Amino acid sequence: MKIVILSRDKELYSTKKLIEVGLERGHSIEAIDFLKFDFRIGKKTELIYQNLKLEKIDALIPRIGSYFLQNGIYTVKHFEKLNVFSTASSEGILLSNDKFSSIQMLQKEEINLPKTVYLNSINNLDSAIKFVGGAPLIIKILNGTQGLGVILAETKQSAISIIETLYRTQIKFVLQEYIKESNGTDIRVFVIGNKVVSAMKRIGKKGDFRSNIHRGGTGEKIKLTSEEEEIAIKTSKIFNLNVCGVDLLRSKKGPLFLEINSSPGIEGIENYTKIDVASGIIEFIEENAK
C-alpha cells in the first residue's frame, strides 16, 4: 500500500517509527509536510505537492497538533474527498483540539468529567470558582498541548489574578475541578480501532502536578478497569478517531475523562509498556484500508 503520514517533522520518534514499521511490512510510506500542499477544486479534486499531482494514496496517518491546525484540517478534508482511508477524521481532529467542545460533547454522552466552567465574562468569578469546588483549582488554556497551559491555582486570589490576566489578553480557557486524590497522576489509554492496545499511568515529576512525559514525568504500565476501557473506546467512537490517546483520571467518583488526543505520541507509551503501538497502527491500516 501507499501510506502518507502528515507530519511537519520527519525526525520525530512517532513519525520515524511508523515509517520504519511500514517499510518493514512492504509498504510505500513517507512523511509529508502538510503546509506544502496546494488544493485544487474544480471538476475534480486534486492535491498538488511540490508542483506534482499526488498519485493514488491508500491510507493517511495525520499527525497534526494545535499549531497550524486549520492547515492540517484542510489537508485531511481534501483526502477525505478523495476517499482515502484515514486514522483520524478531520472533524475528530478539530474537536479534539478544542478542550471545551470535547467536554461538551462527552457530557451529552453521559461520560463522567471533572466539573468545568467556560467563562464568557468575568462578572461571576466567585460563583464560577465555587462551582468547581473552590481552590485549589485547575485553569486550562484551550489550545495548550503536552501540559503547557495547564495551571494549578492554589488559592482563590491567585485563581482570580490568573483568570483576569488571561481574560484581558483574550486567551480562551476553562476552570476545572482539582482532583486531589489523583496526586499528580493520570492514565493515557492508546486506542486503535475499537480496541485498547496499551495503557500507562503517567506520574508527574516531584513538585509538578502535571503528569505529562514531555514535562519530565515518568510512566508505568497499568491494567485498566473494565469501566476505564469502556470510556476510552466509547470516546474514540464519538470523535470518529481510529487512532487516539484518551487521558483519564482516577477519582473517588470513578474514572473521569480529561482529554483526547488525535495524534498521540508513541515513544513514551512504547518505552513504558513495551508494546509495539506503531505496528498496531500499520496492521490496523492493512486490515481496513481499501
Side-chain angles (χ1 to χ4, degrees), residues 29-152:
I29 182 168
E30 63 178 321
I32 294 179
D33 183 348
F34 55 85
L35 291 186
K36 295 181 179 178
F37 280 108
D38 292 333
F39 313 119
R40 297 183 182 177
I41 300 174
K43 289 184 178 180
K44 292 183 178 180
T45 296
E46 294 180 342
L47 273 169
I48 307 298
Y49 179 68
Q50 295 182 337
N51 292 321
L52 296 173
K53 183 178 176 181
L54 225 55
E55 297 297 323
K56 184 181 180 299
I57 292 166
D58 298 296
L60 184 72
I61 305 175
R63 303 284 308 169
I64 296 164
S66 57
Y67 294 112
F68 305 107
L69 175 64
Q70 195 59 62
N71 303 75
I73 296 298
Y74 289 152
T75 309
V76 177
K77 277 189 174 183
H78 227 71
F79 276 104
E80 288 171 347
K81 289 191 175 297
L82 294 168
N83 297 315
V84 175
F85 179 81
S86 178
T87 58
S89 68
S90 58
E91 182 185 21
I93 296 167
L94 185 62
L95 284 170
S96 65
N97 275 274
D98 185 332
K99 291 182 174 63
F100 191 61
S101 290
S102 301
I103 289 167
Q104 285 180 308
M105 181 174 282
L106 293 180
Q107 193 274 336
K108 179 183 175 184
E109 299 291 337
E110 299 184 347
I111 288 176
N112 288 336
L113 309 155
K115 291 179 182 177
T116 305
V117 174
Y118 176 81
L119 295 167
N120 276 314
S121 77
I122 55 173
N123 295 331
N124 300 307
L125 274 187
D126 283 349
S127 62
I129 290 171
K130 185 177 180 181
F131 177 80
V132 297
L137 62 105
I138 303 297
I139 301 170
K140 284 186 179 179
I141 294 172
L142 290 185
N143 63 353
T145 59
Q146 300 175 351
L148 294 171
V150 182
I151 305 159
L152 175 63

Side-chain angles (χ1 to χ4, degrees), residues 139-206:
I139 301 170
K140 284 186 179 179
I141 294 172
L142 290 185
N143 63 353
T145 59
Q146 300 175 351
L148 294 171
V150 182
I151 305 159
L152 175 63
E154 306 239 15
T155 67
K156 180 179 177 181
Q157 191 52 51
S158 66
I160 290 171
S161 178
I162 295 164
I163 291 165
E164 287 177 342
T165 300
L166 293 174
Y167 182 78
R168 288 188 177 123
T169 52
Q170 299 184 343
I171 296 172
K172 294 182 180 180
F173 61 93
V174 293
L175 313 184
Q176 204 161 64
E177 175 186 10
Y178 176 63
I179 308 299
K180 184 178 180 181
E181 60 268 27
S182 68
N183 197 28
T185 69
D186 68 9
I187 297 170
R188 163 57 61 90
V189 186
F190 210 107
V191 180
I192 301 176
N194 294 321
K195 183 180 176 184
V196 169
V197 296
S198 190
M200 68 174 173
K201 180 196 284 187
R202 301 188 298 188
I203 305 154
K205 69 180 181 181
K206 190 173 181 180

Side-chain angles (χ1 to χ4, degrees), residues 25 71 79 87 98 115 133 142 149 205 210 218 228-229 250 269 277-278 281:
R25 297 178 71 89
N71 303 75
F79 276 104
T87 58
D98 185 332
K115 291 179 182 177
L142 290 185
K205 69 180 181 181
R210 299 169 300 178
T218 57
E228 288 164 346
E229 193 163 330
R250 285 179 170 171
I269 202 158
V277 171
I281 293 171

